[in-house]
mmCIF file of all heavy atoms in Angstrom:
data_model
loop_
_atom_site.group_PDB
_atom_site.id
_atom_site.type_symbol
_atom_site.label_atom_id
_atom_site.label_comp_id
_atom_site.label_asym_id
_atom_site.label_seq_id
_atom_site.Cartn_x
_atom_site.Cartn_y
_atom_site.Cartn_z
ATOM 1 N N PRO A 192 -81.738 23.553 134.697
ATOM 2 C CA PRO A 192 -82.550 24.858 134.668
ATOM 3 C C PRO A 192 -82.262 25.875 135.772
ATOM 4 O O PRO A 192 -82.589 27.009 135.656
ATOM 5 C CB PRO A 192 -84.014 24.350 134.708
ATOM 6 C CG PRO A 192 -83.883 22.947 135.280
ATOM 7 C CD PRO A 192 -82.611 22.473 134.841
ATOM 8 N N ARG A 193 -81.678 25.413 136.930
ATOM 9 C CA ARG A 193 -81.319 26.358 137.983
ATOM 10 C C ARG A 193 -80.028 27.118 137.633
ATOM 11 O O ARG A 193 -79.679 28.105 138.359
ATOM 12 C CB ARG A 193 -81.226 25.721 139.271
ATOM 13 C CG ARG A 193 -80.086 24.653 139.438
ATOM 14 C CD ARG A 193 -80.040 24.107 140.806
ATOM 15 N NE ARG A 193 -79.718 25.116 141.807
ATOM 16 C CZ ARG A 193 -78.409 25.471 142.101
ATOM 17 N NH1 ARG A 193 -77.406 24.892 141.444
ATOM 18 N NH2 ARG A 193 -78.171 26.347 142.993
ATOM 19 N N CYS A 194 -79.193 26.628 136.635
ATOM 20 C CA CYS A 194 -77.941 27.313 136.240
ATOM 21 C C CYS A 194 -78.219 28.519 135.473
ATOM 22 O O CYS A 194 -78.929 28.433 134.332
ATOM 23 C CB CYS A 194 -77.133 26.344 135.505
ATOM 24 S SG CYS A 194 -75.536 27.069 134.959
ATOM 25 N N ARG A 195 -77.771 29.645 135.873
ATOM 26 C CA ARG A 195 -78.032 30.926 135.209
ATOM 27 C C ARG A 195 -77.031 31.063 134.003
ATOM 28 O O ARG A 195 -75.762 30.881 134.306
ATOM 29 C CB ARG A 195 -77.787 32.089 136.147
ATOM 30 C CG ARG A 195 -78.793 32.071 137.352
ATOM 31 C CD ARG A 195 -78.512 33.182 138.355
ATOM 32 N NE ARG A 195 -78.700 34.520 137.671
ATOM 33 C CZ ARG A 195 -78.323 35.637 138.168
ATOM 34 N NH1 ARG A 195 -77.584 35.712 139.286
ATOM 35 N NH2 ARG A 195 -78.531 36.753 137.568
ATOM 36 N N VAL A 196 -77.400 31.404 132.946
ATOM 37 C CA VAL A 196 -76.623 31.649 131.695
ATOM 38 C C VAL A 196 -76.367 33.186 131.665
ATOM 39 O O VAL A 196 -77.401 33.909 131.455
ATOM 40 C CB VAL A 196 -77.168 31.033 130.430
ATOM 41 C CG1 VAL A 196 -76.312 31.367 129.198
ATOM 42 C CG2 VAL A 196 -77.379 29.596 130.537
ATOM 43 N N ILE A 197 -75.193 33.611 131.790
ATOM 44 C CA ILE A 197 -74.842 35.053 131.762
ATOM 45 C C ILE A 197 -73.933 35.418 130.570
ATOM 46 O O ILE A 197 -72.906 34.832 130.560
ATOM 47 C CB ILE A 197 -74.240 35.482 133.101
ATOM 48 C CG1 ILE A 197 -75.235 35.066 134.311
ATOM 49 C CG2 ILE A 197 -73.859 36.975 133.203
ATOM 50 C CD1 ILE A 197 -74.628 35.421 135.578
ATOM 51 N N ALA A 198 -74.447 36.214 129.694
ATOM 52 C CA ALA A 198 -73.708 36.700 128.543
ATOM 53 C C ALA A 198 -72.826 37.797 128.838
ATOM 54 O O ALA A 198 -73.116 38.621 129.761
ATOM 55 C CB ALA A 198 -74.715 36.971 127.426
ATOM 56 N N VAL A 199 -71.756 37.891 128.063
ATOM 57 C CA VAL A 199 -70.768 38.920 128.337
ATOM 58 C C VAL A 199 -70.328 39.410 126.936
ATOM 59 O O VAL A 199 -69.845 38.718 126.125
ATOM 60 C CB VAL A 199 -69.532 38.523 129.196
ATOM 61 C CG1 VAL A 199 -68.596 39.687 129.521
ATOM 62 C CG2 VAL A 199 -69.930 37.784 130.373
ATOM 63 N N GLN A 200 -70.354 40.818 126.774
ATOM 64 C CA GLN A 200 -69.889 41.419 125.580
ATOM 65 C C GLN A 200 -69.088 42.674 125.833
ATOM 66 O O GLN A 200 -69.199 43.284 126.940
ATOM 67 C CB GLN A 200 -71.100 41.775 124.722
ATOM 68 C CG GLN A 200 -70.795 42.158 123.269
ATOM 69 C CD GLN A 200 -72.034 42.305 122.436
ATOM 70 O OE1 GLN A 200 -73.046 42.854 122.771
ATOM 71 N NE2 GLN A 200 -71.933 41.788 121.176
ATOM 72 N N SER A 201 -68.272 43.048 124.941
ATOM 73 C CA SER A 201 -67.535 44.343 125.055
ATOM 74 C C SER A 201 -68.384 45.524 124.953
ATOM 75 O O SER A 201 -69.206 45.517 124.043
ATOM 76 C CB SER A 201 -66.439 44.413 123.955
ATOM 77 O OG SER A 201 -65.875 45.772 123.986
ATOM 78 N N ALA A 202 -68.302 46.564 125.907
ATOM 79 C CA ALA A 202 -69.129 47.734 125.790
ATOM 80 C C ALA A 202 -68.860 48.489 124.530
ATOM 81 O O ALA A 202 -69.570 49.433 124.151
ATOM 82 C CB ALA A 202 -68.847 48.482 126.975
ATOM 83 N N SER A 203 -67.676 48.208 123.866
ATOM 84 C CA SER A 203 -67.250 48.964 122.673
ATOM 85 C C SER A 203 -67.837 48.201 121.445
ATOM 86 O O SER A 203 -67.532 48.698 120.286
ATOM 87 C CB SER A 203 -65.763 49.011 122.590
ATOM 88 O OG SER A 203 -65.267 49.741 123.681
ATOM 89 N N ALA A 204 -68.621 47.194 121.583
ATOM 90 C CA ALA A 204 -69.280 46.573 120.478
ATOM 91 C C ALA A 204 -70.621 45.922 120.907
ATOM 92 O O ALA A 204 -70.733 44.652 121.066
ATOM 93 C CB ALA A 204 -68.383 45.561 119.788
ATOM 94 N N PRO A 205 -71.693 46.730 121.385
ATOM 95 C CA PRO A 205 -72.745 46.182 122.129
ATOM 96 C C PRO A 205 -73.892 45.796 121.366
ATOM 97 O O PRO A 205 -75.028 45.735 121.921
ATOM 98 C CB PRO A 205 -73.070 47.406 123.065
ATOM 99 C CG PRO A 205 -72.834 48.571 122.159
ATOM 100 C CD PRO A 205 -71.624 48.235 121.288
ATOM 101 N N ALA A 206 -73.836 45.470 120.126
ATOM 102 C CA ALA A 206 -75.031 45.284 119.230
ATOM 103 C C ALA A 206 -75.869 44.110 119.765
ATOM 104 O O ALA A 206 -77.094 44.225 119.860
ATOM 105 C CB ALA A 206 -74.564 44.943 117.750
ATOM 106 N N ALA A 207 -75.221 42.985 120.170
ATOM 107 C CA ALA A 207 -76.014 41.875 120.657
ATOM 108 C C ALA A 207 -76.748 42.189 122.000
ATOM 109 O O ALA A 207 -77.871 41.870 122.249
ATOM 110 C CB ALA A 207 -75.120 40.624 120.709
ATOM 111 N N HIS A 208 -75.937 42.829 122.853
ATOM 112 C CA HIS A 208 -76.490 43.281 124.204
ATOM 113 C C HIS A 208 -77.729 44.148 124.014
ATOM 114 O O HIS A 208 -78.816 43.946 124.614
ATOM 115 C CB HIS A 208 -75.494 44.005 125.078
ATOM 116 C CG HIS A 208 -75.971 44.592 126.250
ATOM 117 N ND1 HIS A 208 -76.569 45.824 126.233
ATOM 118 C CD2 HIS A 208 -76.081 44.137 127.484
ATOM 119 C CE1 HIS A 208 -76.943 46.161 127.451
ATOM 120 N NE2 HIS A 208 -76.689 45.130 128.293
ATOM 121 N N ASP A 209 -77.567 45.175 123.166
ATOM 122 C CA ASP A 209 -78.668 46.155 123.000
ATOM 123 C C ASP A 209 -79.822 45.492 122.225
ATOM 124 O O ASP A 209 -80.950 45.855 122.522
ATOM 125 C CB ASP A 209 -78.075 47.356 122.304
ATOM 126 C CG ASP A 209 -77.103 48.201 122.988
ATOM 127 O OD1 ASP A 209 -76.785 47.832 124.228
ATOM 128 O OD2 ASP A 209 -76.582 49.144 122.501
ATOM 129 N N SER A 210 -79.523 44.529 121.358
ATOM 130 C CA SER A 210 -80.673 43.847 120.732
ATOM 131 C C SER A 210 -81.483 43.053 121.699
ATOM 132 O O SER A 210 -82.675 42.988 121.669
ATOM 133 C CB SER A 210 -80.075 43.038 119.534
ATOM 134 O OG SER A 210 -79.533 43.792 118.541
ATOM 135 N N TRP A 211 -80.759 42.389 122.594
ATOM 136 C CA TRP A 211 -81.382 41.559 123.601
ATOM 137 C C TRP A 211 -82.185 42.412 124.633
ATOM 138 O O TRP A 211 -83.421 42.067 124.883
ATOM 139 C CB TRP A 211 -80.255 40.777 124.420
ATOM 140 C CG TRP A 211 -80.797 40.004 125.596
ATOM 141 C CD1 TRP A 211 -81.441 38.741 125.575
ATOM 142 C CD2 TRP A 211 -80.693 40.404 126.940
ATOM 143 N NE1 TRP A 211 -81.783 38.402 126.806
ATOM 144 C CE2 TRP A 211 -81.340 39.350 127.589
ATOM 145 C CE3 TRP A 211 -80.162 41.533 127.621
ATOM 146 C CZ2 TRP A 211 -81.464 39.422 129.070
ATOM 147 C CZ3 TRP A 211 -80.327 41.600 129.006
ATOM 148 C CH2 TRP A 211 -80.910 40.612 129.731
ATOM 149 N N ALA A 212 -81.643 43.526 124.937
ATOM 150 C CA ALA A 212 -82.249 44.447 125.899
ATOM 151 C C ALA A 212 -83.569 45.081 125.259
ATOM 152 O O ALA A 212 -84.559 45.258 125.970
ATOM 153 C CB ALA A 212 -81.299 45.577 126.451
ATOM 154 N N SER A 213 -83.478 45.418 124.074
ATOM 155 C CA SER A 213 -84.642 46.126 123.441
ATOM 156 C C SER A 213 -85.543 45.169 122.632
ATOM 157 O O SER A 213 -86.643 45.605 122.273
ATOM 158 C CB SER A 213 -84.084 47.169 122.317
ATOM 159 O OG SER A 213 -83.489 46.385 121.266
#
Side-chain angles (χ1 to χ4, degrees):
R193 66 175 294 276
C194 177
R195 299 175 65 195
V196 179
I197 299 176
V199 186
Q200 188 169 48
S201 170
S203 298
H208 170 275
D209 292 359
S210 296
W211 174 79
S213 66

